[in-house]
Amino acid sequence: MGRWEPNARGRLAQAAFELYGERGYEQTTVAEIAKRAGLTERTFFRHFADKREVLFAGSEILQESLVRAVVDAHESAAPIDAVTAALETVGSVLMDREFSRRRQKVIDSTAELRERELIKLAALASAVADALRRRGVPDLAASLTAEAGVAVFKVAFERWIAGTDEKDLSELIREAIDELKAVTAG
Amino acid sequence: MGRWEPNARGRLAQAAFELYGERGYEQTTVAEIAKRAGLTERTFFRHFADKREVLFAGSEILQESLVRAVVDAHESAAPIDAVTAALETVGSVLMDREFSRRRQKVIDSTAELRERELIKLAALASAVADALRRRGVPDLAASLTAEAGVAVFKVAFERWIAGTDEKDLSELIREAIDELKAVTAG
């Protein structure tokens, strides 16, 4: 093998999600995923470290985008505004609610995956705090702004995938930030 | 056996912490913990589900105390003030920084324990959000206030165990809340 396969990564992800939904995450093997995608196991491992990473590949991209947006925010922007703007940008990229919902259903079904998700969120908060420190934000303010931002993202994301209305994720992020400002104002 | 052992729980916890520090968490068995405490394995399992729970038994008490304090806060208290007061009360009970530091060192050494800690923090945020809802706080405000409260606790706790100065945990919680209010005010 080794020849170029058109959109191998996307086909593997699609196959994995189908199988996780049909037979459950734990019961699905990499061999089955590759077969469903019409590819080899070797191709699978060129794109993903293991079957768990198919579910979390997007988290890396999310983290990179968020960090870049925080670093690139206008230098006059207050830390919370830099994080808010970054979250809204990321939120506007996540469009496919049905996909996110199916992914979450797989994650919620397995303790190992829920733990992995919490680790990714903790890493996200750390990375955002580092990005703020690079902007010169003092340590305590950087940590709290990052934790608050991740909390806003988490709550907005849960509302988005649970919701039936037409609000998009970046709108829900905006609402959550406004609500956080209101509740912390007392 | 089955006879009453004076302070069996405390002796088991003490023995476990010593052994985790000396030879590492993964290398320590329940049999060794019981032996060091001068008790039987059976007594160990009357007090703890497994060797991991020795490290997290305090989390249950923390969660119960926090929820009770939120539920019992004066009915006129704003959600954030109910959570702040609850955190400060809990913070004033956690006095033994050296113990907390040794515990954290064990947790940080093992991925499984770090994951367990994140799960406990997520459960804590859920429980606090539920307590706020029982006070009549609307859903979104309850979730965000609880997440913000847990973020404040997490950041203050990290500063407390990393710190060398004489500030106690409840003082650091107060500083973190004030800082969160300042950063969200923009």
Side-chain angles (χ1 to χ4, degrees):
Chain A
M1 298 295 295
R3 65 194 165 81
W4 182 76
E5 295 283 357
N7 191 26
R9 189 180 172 87
R11 283 157 62 194
L12 288 161
Q14 174 70 29
F17 273 84
E18 284 173 15
L19 288 165
Y20 296 164
E22 289 166 22
R23 23 186 116 157
Y25 169 78
E26 310 222 25
Q27 288 73 46
T28 300
T29 65
V30 167
E32 290 166 333
I33 296 168
K35 193 177 171 205
R36 171 79 60 106
L39 296 164
T40 62
E41 281 188 69
R42 193 167 155 180
T43 302
F44 179 95
F45 288 115
R46 255 205 304 277
H47 291 280
F48 301 102
D50 54 38
K51 67 174 182 168
R52 190 174 66 177
E53 283 311 303
V54 182
L55 293 160
F56 293 103
S59 309
E60 316 273 300
I61 301 164
L62 175 74
Q63 181 169 320
E64 279 165 32
S65 314
L66 202 51
V67 165
R68 198 174 322 112
V70 169
V71 169
D72 291 348
H74 193 276
E75 58 179 307
S76 69
I80 191 73
D81 296 327
V83 172
T84 302
L87 286 171
E88 285 184 88
T89 306
V90 165
S92 68
V93 175
L94 276 170
M95 300 293 285
D96 190 341
R97 184 161 66 170
E98 203 39 58
F99 172 86
S100 294
R101 203 174 260 162
R102 277 193 293 136
R103 174 182 172 278
Q104 198 62 42
K105 209 174 154 187
V106 175
I107 289 171
D108 290 343
S109 71
T110 308
E112 177 204 337
L113 298 175
R114 286 197 302 274
E115 292 176 356
R116 169 72 12 184
E117 187 181 40
L118 291 172
I119 298 238
K120 295 275 180 182
L121 284 173
L124 188 63
S126 269
V128 170
D130 281 344
L132 289 169
R133 280 185 208 106
R134 269 184 277 152
R135 289 174 63 87
V137 177
D139 202 43
L140 180 59
S143 297
L144 285 165
T145 307
E147 293 285 347
V150 169
V152 157
F153 180 78
K154 188 182 158 196
V155 169
F157 188 81
E158 280 168 11
R159 288 182 79 202
W160 183 55
I161 59 172
T164 49
D165 61 26
E166 291 309 302
K167 283 178 186 164
D168 65 23
L169 180 56
S170 64
E171 205 173 336
L172 293 169
I173 287 170
R174 162 55 52 200
E175 283 185 12
I177 287 270
D178 289 345
E179 185 68 37
L180 178 68
K181 289 183 177 190
V183 296
T184 49
Chain B
M1 297 294 292
R3 68 195 163 80
W4 182 76
E5 294 283 358
N7 191 25
R9 189 180 173 88
R11 283 158 61 194
L12 288 161
Q14 174 70 27
F17 275 84
E18 284 174 16
L19 289 164
Y20 296 163
E22 289 166 23
R23 25 185 115 157
Y25 169 78
E26 309 222 26
Q27 288 71 45
T28 300
T29 65
V30 167
E32 289 166 334
I33 296 169
K35 192 177 170 204
R36 170 78 60 108
L39 296 164
T40 62
E41 280 189 69
R42 195 168 153 180
T43 302
F44 178 94
F45 288 115
R46 253 203 306 275
H47 290 279
F48 301 103
D50 53 39
K51 69 174 181 167
R52 190 172 68 178
E53 283 311 304
V54 182
L55 293 160
F56 293 102
S59 309
E60 316 273 299
I61 300 165
L62 176 74
Q63 181 167 320
E64 280 164 31
S65 313
L66 202 51
V67 164
R68 198 174 321 113
V70 169
V71 169
D72 290 350
H74 194 276
E75 60 179 306
S76 69
I80 191 73
D81 296 327
V83 172
T84 302
L87 285 171
E88 284 184 89
T89 305
V90 166
S92 67
V93 176
L94 276 170
M95 301 293 286
D96 190 342
R97 183 161 68 171
E98 202 38 59
F99 173 86
S100 294
R101 203 173 258 161
R102 277 193 294 138
R103 174 182 173 277
Q104 198 62 42
K105 208 173 156 189
V106 175
I107 290 172
D108 290 344
S109 71
T110 308
E112 177 205 336
L113 297 176
R114 288 197 301 274
E115 292 177 358
R116 168 73 12 185
E117 186 180 40
L118 292 172
I119 299 248
K120 295 277 180 182
L121 284 173
L124 187 63
S126 269
V128 170
D130 282 344
L132 289 169
R133 280 184 207 105
R134 271 184 273 152
R135 290 175 63 88
V137 177
D139 203 43
L140 180 59
S143 298
L144 285 165
T145 307
E147 294 285 347
V150 170
V152 158
F153 180 79
K154 188 182 156 193
V155 170
F157 188 82
E158 279 167 12
R159 288 183 78 204
W160 184 55
I161 58 173
T164 48
D165 61 25
E166 290 309 303
K167 282 179 187 165
D168 65 22
L169 180 55
S170 64
E171 204 172 338
L172 294 168
I173 288 171
R174 162 56 50 200
E175 282 184 13
I177 288 268
D178 289 346
E179 186 68 37
L180 179 69
K181 289 184 177 191
V183 296
T184 50

